[in-house]
């Protein structure tokens, strides 16, 4: 079965680079490497940040909540 996820109405575009940086940040947070997580998050462009935030809000959460879930304290 091919399941496709759609973005919430009005959500912007997340660049491939930003998706990779977010993945790296989440992986670093899981491993407790806060400096690497922060560096990866800081590398995300502003438009992608907004799109990421919009998608997380549509799911009822936020990036800080996700980081806490994955790696303990923000």
């Amino acid at each position: 079965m091919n399941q496709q996820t759609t973005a919430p109405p009005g959500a912007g575009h997340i660049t491939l680079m930003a998706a990779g940086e977010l993945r790296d940040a989440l992986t670093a947070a899981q491993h407790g490497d806060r400096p690497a997580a922060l560096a990866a998050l800081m590398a995300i462009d502003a438009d992608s940040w907004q799109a990421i935030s919009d998608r997380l809000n549509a799911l009822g959460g936020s990036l800080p909540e996700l980081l806490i879930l994955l790696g303990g304290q923000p």
Side-chain angles (χ1 to χ4, degrees), residues 1 3 9 12 16-17 19-20 22 32-33 39 42 56 59 65 73:
M1 179 166 100
Q3 185 177 10
L16 184 57
M17 177 72 94
L22 180 59
D33 188 350
M42 295 295 293
L56 288 172
L59 295 171
E65 291 169 340
Q73 330 240 313

Side-chain angles (χ1 to χ4, degrees), residues 25-50:
L26 296 175
T27 299
Q30 280 185 310
H31 292 112
D33 188 350
R34 296 173 97 184
L38 180 59
L41 292 174
M42 295 295 293
I44 297 173
D45 65 280
D47 291 337
S48 292
W49 258 123
Q50 187 61 55

Side-chain angles (χ1 to χ4, degrees), residues 45-72:
D45 65 280
D47 291 337
S48 292
W49 258 123
Q50 187 61 55
I52 290 167
S53 178
D54 291 346
R55 284 167 174 76
L56 288 172
N57 287 335
L59 295 171
S62 68
L63 185 58
E65 291 169 340
L66 181 58
L67 292 173
I68 289 169
L69 178 69
L70 292 175

